[in-house]
Amino acid sequence: MARQLMKGNEAVAEAAVRAGLHAYFGYPITPQTELLEYLSRRMPELGRAFVQAESEVAAINMVYGAACTGSRVMTSSSSPGFSLMMEGVSYMAATEIPVVMINVMRGGPGLGNISPSQADYNQSVHGGGHGDYRQIVLTPGSVQESVDLTVLAFDLAEKYRINTVILSDGSIGQMMEPCELPEMQPLRGVSTEPWAITATMGQREHRMLSSIYLKVSDEEKTNIRILNRWRQIEANEVRFKEYYLDDADFAIIGFGSAGRVALTAVRQARAEGIKVGLLRPITVAPFPVQQVAELSKRVQGILVTEMNGGQMLDDVLRIVKGNCPVEFFARLGGVVPFPDEILSEIHRIAKGPLSVDVDPRSAWLDRMAAIVN
Amino acid sequence: MNLIDKLATWEDQISPGISACVGCNVELTLRTCMKVMGPNTIFAIPPGCMGGVGVVGWDKKSGAKTPVFFPLLDNVASMLAGIKLHYEHIGRDVNVVAFAGDGATVDAGMQCLSGAAERGDKIIYICYDNEGYMNTGYQRSGSTTKGAWTSTTPVNHSGQGGKRQNKKDFPLIMAMHDIPYMATMNPAYIPDMVRKLEKAKEIKTGLVYLHVYNPCVTGWGFQSDFSIEVSRLAVESNFAPLYEVENGKFKMSVEIRNPKPVKEFLSRFKKFSHLTDEDIQELQEWTDFKINRLKHLCTL
């Protein structure tokens, strides 16, 4: 299929349609609104369901209801809207149903602004809603990757009956890039999944989906089932991209937009002869634990770069366990780093000296004082 | 003091230089409302046009001259309820005012507004109804008129589409909370607006709800110099009648003896340009039904 120039938000919407999206529920919020607008035209055209809800709380619970029928359903929002959705997200995780959610992140906390950010990492990766649950979190770095990961998200959500989040951001949602869309999949009929609530029509036994287990031993079993399933996901679904790591003395770890900016800096550094590489996690949940652990044993230092205050940094530190020094660089609150900034970080790290005893966040904050003030 | 003198004397509580669209009648509404409310006011503007144009003071150079809060779409009334409680506690009488769009009022914020009205929180809640989420590019809301094009109720090349549901009658919903005062307002009727705002300021027994009907130049599609004219047509056609409800008693504020056909109002906007004669007839009947019900309520 020919490549076409598309806006990130619209490309994701079309990819979902082609992946067999039955129903979409959403609410306006910048920088995600084009996704909603696109589907308001596209879904009715194909005889599928589009609903603009009266709030994000309503939207996520419409998703909850529709997902219980085994249909392919999706919602999208941006950071503050996702915070509102958290009750529904926890309930869906407890009910063990497949759902796809697109978070086009913006600057926060609070009302923040409408510029790109990665500050919802913890909310998506380490919960956000109440209770013990996990969800798959995919992080695209381009419009093409957004398209591909959207299709994958539906498959993973259904394979594991789990919430799957595409953690995008305002720059990827708003930018236009050439991309290749997938073939249109035929729309599935009523779900044949053995758990789906589809009306018995007097033909079979009743089924039950629940997020309430008043008998505590049943709730414990449910929690353990969810965690065991997560172990499978960790074993099978880790995805990442490696650039120039084979002979690298130093490694950068960054996801999504930050990873993409870092790649430009890495290429510039390579041109200068600095042996630096990049690990860009595609799945931040499950996290590429093994890859980071191995990397930490063979490089002289790791630079974590994000558009937040070091949320992934904490995960990296937990995995590296002092094997090598870890450094940190971030712009946040809606500011996107320039490749130059990361390049000068590479220069600083290549020059050394580095120490495993330095708190990378604290050191970065000290360096930031000169930049921000 | 007559109205002209009052408006000339009262200080504009909104600075010059806010970035509303040319001909925006919500800006006029905001300035009028806040002039009457005066400097002894704390107000809140949730995300929406008037938040977006800088009234909350993004650059610390323009915006409101009184303290202003920026709540979210779903919590305007709750946030103000909390603020009001503090001022009641310290014994200072201050106007606590919401200036919110219809999305924040009739959709996402309805639950907390209803709660505040029922509890009798002493706030003045002003809703500027431009029938949609304008600040994100005009998506439909529960307040959008049936048939209207919006960016999420598209119209195809053969003229089919538009919103399929009727507009929520939110002024009536709020009146039915039995709050001490509910009134509808219109930017083409400034004397009426000022009178209602002055009355609202005097009420100390519970929540006041004021609903302003504001045709939107950019979203609805009409020339900016007709901003007041089309607003007046909404009243003259009984499409958005001016009335007030004081302690349960309904009263028309502006009686329209020979109402104009709603077609005259609807035909002024691009967002209705695809409507058929049958569609317009349906909206005429809906308008007739509602004005008759309202007039009946006025007899009770």
Side-chain angles (χ1 to χ4, degrees):
Chain A
M1 192 165 282
R3 297 211 303 167
Q4 49 185 300
L5 189 65
M6 281 190 92
K7 196 173 205 177
N9 283 336
E10 299 194 339
V12 166
E14 181 60 28
V17 165
R18 294 182 182 213
L21 181 69
H22 288 99
Y24 171 89
F25 309 92
Y27 187 77
I29 184 168
T30 311
Q32 162 275 160
T33 308
E34 297 84 5
L35 217 158
L36 171 90
E37 289 177 334
Y38 184 91
L39 289 173
S40 78
R41 298 192 293 276
R42 191 74 170 118
M43 295 294 273
E45 189 178 285
L46 297 165
R48 307 184 192 178
F50 165 88
V51 181
Q52 184 191 320
E54 68 273 27
S55 71
E56 288 90 347
V57 178
I60 197 70
N61 286 291
M62 289 175 188
V63 164
Y64 186 12
C68 288
T69 69
S71 301
R72 286 204 149 175
V73 293
M74 183 174 92
T75 188
S76 60
S77 190
S78 179
S79 307
F82 254 82
S83 293
L84 266 182
M85 291 182 176
M86 280 304 133
E87 178 187 74
V89 168
S90 168
Y91 276 63
M92 293 189 302
T95 311
E96 299 166 84
I97 46 169
V99 169
V100 172
M101 296 171 275
I102 317 284
N103 184 353
V104 186
M105 291 183 283
R106 60 186 240 183
L111 198 49
N113 53 49
I114 55 175
S115 297
S117 157
Q118 297 183 324
D120 302 349
Y121 177 95
N122 277 345
Q123 187 192 56
S124 302
V125 172
H126 297 301
H130 61 280
D132 258 316
Y133 71 94
R134 299 285 194 281
Q135 50 193 11
I136 296 174
V137 183
L138 306 166
T139 60
S142 66
V143 172
Q144 182 64 61
E145 221 165 56
S146 306
V147 166
D148 299 342
L149 292 179
T150 301
V151 179
L152 176 69
F154 283 103
D155 294 339
L156 291 178
E158 282 177 358
K159 185 173 175 188
Y160 297 102
R161 288 177 58 179
I162 193 167
N163 297 346
T164 302
V165 178
I166 308 249
L167 205 54
S168 176
D169 67 49
S171 65
I172 294 166
Q174 293 294 321
M175 76 164 78
M176 291 186 83
E177 279 189 312
C179 66
E180 196 173 328
L181 291 162
E183 292 292 330
M184 180 73 99
Q185 288 182 28
L187 197 65
R188 217 169 46 200
V190 173
S191 175
T192 53
E193 292 289 346
W195 52 265
I197 305 293
T198 54
T200 66
M201 308 296 273
Q203 304 291 311
R204 58 165 172 79
E205 288 295 299
H206 283 282
R207 293 169 183 165
M208 194 170 89
L209 289 172
S210 179
S211 83
I212 173 172
Y213 299 95
L214 289 177
K215 204 170 144 194
V216 291
S217 57
D218 287 346
E219 183 66 72
E220 188 180 45
K221 269 184 220 156
T222 303
N223 272 270
I224 287 175
R225 184 170 64 241
I226 289 172
L227 287 172
N228 273 324
R229 192 179 304 144
W230 186 251
R231 246 188 342 187
Q232 279 178 31
I233 294 168
E234 283 179 321
N236 300 327
E237 305 299 347
V238 171
R239 286 170 169 78
F240 55 89
K241 284 204 171 154
E242 292 179 311
Y243 306 85
Y244 311 103
L245 279 175
D246 290 343
D247 63 342
D249 295 331
F250 304 96
I252 299 184
I253 304 177
F255 69 92
S257 287
R260 182 171 171 164
V261 175
L263 180 58
T264 308
V266 164
R267 287 188 174 132
Q268 286 169 353
R270 279 277 168 179
E272 296 170 11
I274 303 169
K275 286 186 175 176
V276 60
L278 171 70
L279 176 73
R280 184 161 68 83
I282 303 295
T283 53
V284 287
F287 198 77
V289 174
Q290 207 186 324
Q291 289 69 25
V292 172
E294 282 168 10
L295 202 57
S296 71
K297 288 173 196 156
R298 64 182 166 92
V299 295
Q300 295 166 28
I302 288 174
L303 171 68
V304 174
T305 182
E306 304 177 74
M307 281 145 61
N308 63 48
Q311 300 183 15
M312 183 178 71
L313 171 68
D314 290 333
D315 286 345
V316 171
L317 286 171
R318 188 169 47 83
I319 298 161
V320 172
K321 292 188 184 117
N323 287 337
C324 72
V326 175
E327 292 280 325
F328 180 60
F329 179 75
R331 297 308 301 266
L332 66 172
V335 181
V336 182
F338 283 98
D340 295 4
E341 295 176 83
I342 297 176
L343 184 62
S344 54
E345 285 292 300
I346 295 171
H347 289 155
R348 184 179 64 79
I349 288 162
K351 209 161 76 183
L354 303 175
S355 163
V356 291
D357 297 324
V358 173
D359 174 0
R361 185 184 286 106
S362 185
W364 161 72
L365 276 172
D366 289 342
R367 292 197 304 279
M368 278 299 279
I371 299 174
V372 176
N373 292 334
Chain B
M1 216 168 20
N2 70 24
L3 180 76
I4 304 284
D5 289 338
K6 280 179 181 175
L7 286 174
T9 313
W10 292 332
E11 191 193 359
D12 197 342
Q13 297 299 323
I14 310 296
S15 79
I18 64 170
S19 58
C21 302
V22 173
C24 174
N25 55 55
V26 181
E27 182 181 341
L28 172 69
T29 304
L30 174 72
R31 288 184 188 280
T32 307
C33 289
M34 293 310 151
K35 250 187 185 184
V36 182
M37 288 300 142
N40 186 33
T41 299
I42 291 172
F43 76 113
I45 298 191
C49 286
M50 287 302 114
V53 301
V55 175
V56 286
W58 301 101
D59 56 3
K60 299 189 176 71
K61 288 175 190 148
S62 67
K65 297 177 188 170
T66 58
V68 54
F69 286 81
F70 204 5
L72 285 167
L73 289 162
D74 63 327
N75 62 18
V76 184
S78 312
M79 193 182 193
L80 289 180
I83 291 168
K84 183 70 186 181
L85 278 175
H86 169 75
Y87 283 90
E88 281 180 351
H89 175 67
I90 62 169
R92 188 178 155 194
D93 189 17
V94 56
N95 306 313
V96 174
V97 180
F99 196 81
D102 51 290
T105 304
V106 318
D107 285 350
M110 179 172 174
Q111 181 176 339
C112 75
L113 174 54
S114 179
E118 183 268 333
R119 281 191 305 273
D121 291 334
K122 293 172 194 65
I123 59 180
I124 298 169
Y125 194 106
I126 303 166
C127 169
Y128 61 100
D129 178 5
N130 48 21
E131 298 206 340
Y133 296 85
M134 298 308 179
N135 199 42
T136 42
Y138 194 14
Q139 293 78 37
R140 61 93 86 188
S141 79
S143 204
T144 308
T145 294
K146 188 174 183 179
W149 169 90
T150 74
S151 74
T152 51
T153 55
V155 175
N156 67 15
H157 293 302
S158 40
Q160 281 147 350
K163 193 191 175 202
R164 287 180 294 174
Q165 302 85 4
N166 268 322
K167 180 183 175 77
K168 216 183 255 193
D169 194 337
F170 210 72
L172 199 55
I173 290 168
M174 288 311 293
M176 290 303 162
H177 279 71
D178 290 330
I179 49 179
Y181 189 55
M182 196 300 294
T184 61
M185 310 195 296
N186 187 298
Y189 294 80
I190 295 293
D192 178 73
M193 185 184 284
V194 170
R195 182 180 63 79
K196 286 167 175 169
L197 289 161
E198 285 186 303
K199 189 180 274 187
K201 261 175 85 173
E202 298 310 313
I203 286 164
K204 308 290 178 195
T205 50
L207 187 136
V208 172
Y209 181 77
L210 303 169
H211 192 99
V212 200
Y213 194 64
N214 291 104
C216 167
V217 175
T218 312
W220 297 20
F222 62 92
Q223 279 181 15
S224 56
D225 40 350
F226 294 117
S227 195
I228 299 302
E229 187 177 321
V230 296
S231 301
R232 186 175 291 113
L233 271 174
V235 175
E236 289 173 343
S237 61
N238 280 334
F239 195 79
L242 287 173
Y243 67 102
E244 59 197 308
V245 187
E246 205 175 346
N247 296 318
K249 181 74 188 152
F250 282 70
K251 187 173 171 244
M252 296 303 294
S253 315
V254 176
E255 291 271 8
I256 305 297
R257 293 194 198 287
N258 298 303
K260 292 181 172 161
V262 291
K263 188 176 183 174
E264 230 173 277
F265 170 66
L266 300 172
S267 62
R268 302 299 292 267
F269 310 112
K270 197 174 165 211
K271 72 169 183 173
F272 294 123
S273 59
H274 59 284
L275 294 190
T276 62
D277 287 345
E278 290 83 60
D279 296 334
I280 290 168
Q281 182 55 30
E282 193 188 325
L283 284 169
Q284 179 69 59
E285 285 164 17
W286 182 75
T287 306
D288 293 345
F289 164 75
K290 295 195 93 84
I291 190 71
N292 288 335
R293 181 172 64 186
L294 184 59
K295 282 180 175 164
H296 181 67
L297 286 168
C298 291
T299 65
L300 298 177

